[in-house]
Amino acid sequence: LPAELEREAALAWARNELTAKLPVQADEQALLAAGGVFALVGPTGVGKTTTTAKLAARCVMKYGADRVAMLTTDGYRIGAHEQLLIYGRILGVPVLPAGDAQALQQALQELKGKHIVLIDTVGMSQRDQNVAEQAAMLCAAGRPVRRLLVLNAASHGDTLNEVAHAYHQGAAGALTGCIVTKVDEATHVGAVLDTAIRHRLPVHYVSNGQKVPENLTLARARDLVERAFAAAGGTA
C-alpha cells in the first residue's frame, strides 16, 4: 500500500487495484456470439453438471433451444448422464453421451449445426494423471473446444492454485477462462479471486446456488472485490 495514505484511502486504493487486476469477461456476447464448443472442466464436486445446465439455459434464452446441445463425457459417476438428460428435457435440448475420443468426435459431428455445444466432463483431481489425457481428448475432438475451468469458491487457496496450474497444462492449450461456483457456501472469496489473478483466468460467470438458471450471473469485478472485503471486515 502507498505509505502516505491513511487507512480508508489505502483500502480504497487496494479495492481499485484489485478490481483493475481481476480479469473478467463481463460482455457475454464476446464469449457466446461466435458459438462453438465449450467444455466445463475441473475437480469432482465443484458443480460442473449443474453449471452446464445453467449455462445451457442462458444460451437457450439467447439463441433458442434448437441451436443448443449438451454432451457428457462422465461415464463414471452414477446417474451423471441421467441428471443432464433431465435438464435437457426441461430445456428442450439434446443430450448425447461421449465416453471416449471417438464417441466425442462422432457426437460433435452430429451436432455441427448447433450454435453452441456444452460439454460436461468427468471430474478429476488436479493430481490425477488423467487430467492430461482428458485435455488431449478434447484437443482431438475434431472441432476447437474451449475449456472453462470450474472453481469452487469454498476451496482452500493452495488447492485452487494447484487446480488452475494442473488444468492449464497439456496439449489442449490455455484455458479460455473460469466459472466460480459455490459462492453462497464460501466464507470468503479472496482465495478464488487470487487464483484468477495469478493465473490470468478471466472469470466469466459466478454461481451462488442450485437454481437453474437463476443462480448463474455474469462476473463483475467490483462486486467480487467488494464481497471479498466485506467478508474480511473491510481489511481483505
Side-chain angles (χ1 to χ4, degrees):
L1 297 175
E4 70 276 9
L5 296 181
E6 297 295 331
R7 181 180 184 279
E8 290 305 317
L11 287 174
W13 180 90
R15 283 181 167 89
N16 289 333
E17 285 294 303
L18 288 169
T19 299
K21 285 181 169 56
L22 178 64
V24 296
Q25 183 70 64
D27 181 5
E28 192 170 27
Q29 280 295 99
L31 178 69
L32 302 178
V37 183
F38 297 86
L40 277 66
V41 300
T44 57
V46 296
K48 290 188 298 299
T49 300
T50 305
T51 305
T52 300
K54 290 175 183 176
L55 188 52
R58 291 184 74 96
C59 293
V60 165
M61 288 187 286
K62 282 182 173 291
Y63 306 109
D66 60 329
R67 303 193 68 196
V68 181
M70 293 187 287
L71 294 177
T72 177
T73 67
D74 192 345
Y76 299 96
R77 190 163 53 91
I78 296 173
H81 184 208
E82 288 74 14
Q83 183 182 1
L84 207 62
L85 273 174
I86 292 171
Y87 286 127
R89 282 196 292 269
I90 293 171
L91 297 173
V93 304
V95 178
L96 300 180
D100 55 37
Q102 184 176 353
L104 179 60
Q105 290 178 15
Q106 183 176 342
L108 288 178
Q109 181 63 23
E110 290 180 28
L111 299 170
K112 63 182 180 181
K114 301 295 183 182
H115 180 66
I116 288 179
V117 179
L118 301 171
I119 304 175
D120 177 27
T121 63
V122 179
M124 293 183 183
S125 163
Q126 68 274 16
R127 299 180 183 180
D128 190 329
Q129 63 181 9
N130 290 324
V131 168
E133 294 179 12
Q134 181 189 80
M137 183 181 81
L138 295 172
C139 189
R143 292 175 61 184
V145 178
R146 286 183 279 178
R147 294 181 303 144
L148 294 169
L149 180 62
V150 182
L151 293 173
N152 179 357
S155 293
H156 191 276
D158 290 344
T159 301
L160 291 167
N161 187 60
E162 263 193 13
V163 168
H165 180 75
Y167 277 88
H168 245 324
Q169 308 304 307
L175 293 163
T176 295
C178 68
I179 298 175
V180 176
T181 61
K182 301 185 185 293
V183 171
D184 53 315
E185 300 177 17
T187 55
H188 59 81
V189 296
V192 75
L193 302 188
D194 175 69
T195 300
I197 292 171
R198 284 175 184 267
H199 294 271
R200 298 178 183 177
L201 276 176
V203 184
H204 293 282
Y205 298 96
V206 174
S207 174
N208 60 350
Q210 294 294 312
K211 291 182 180 179
V212 178
E214 298 93 327
N215 293 143
L216 186 72
T217 59
L218 285 174
R220 305 292 185 194
R222 175 66 65 179
D223 293 346
L224 288 168
V225 170
E226 287 300 326
R227 188 182 186 107
F229 272 77
T235 59

